[in-house]
Amino acid sequence: DDPVDIGPFTQVQPFTRIMAHAIIGAYVDIGQSVSIGEGVMIGNHVTILNNAVLDGGTILEDDVHCGAC
């Protein structure tokens, strides 16, 4: 398996797929059924809501809220 880096205190809900070489920061909340593509970079203190799709190469900086309002 290819490496994935997940920071401390990050929560990943069921049915979420994280592809190779993704980097996920600390204190990130990832909802269920989220798809995180290859090489995605996610900063610290990020919230990703259910069913979000982050295609390969996506970058989310710190303190981002991603998903429907």
Side-chain angles (χ1 to χ4, degrees), residues 8-68:
F9 305 106
T10 290
Q11 297 182 13
V12 180
Q13 298 303 316
F15 310 112
T16 291
R17 295 175 14 129
I18 302 173
M19 303 307 286
H21 307 294
I23 300 172
I24 302 171
Y27 299 95
V28 176
D29 290 321
I30 302 173
Q32 69 181 23
S33 300
V34 171
S35 178
I36 298 175
E38 186 170 337
V40 169
M41 297 173 59
I42 300 171
N44 300 314
H45 302 279
V46 172
T47 300
I48 302 171
L49 299 181
N50 297 342
N51 304 307
V53 177
L54 303 177
D55 289 332
T58 299
I59 299 173
L60 298 180
E61 296 185 1
D62 294 345
D63 303 304
V64 171
H65 183 90
C66 178

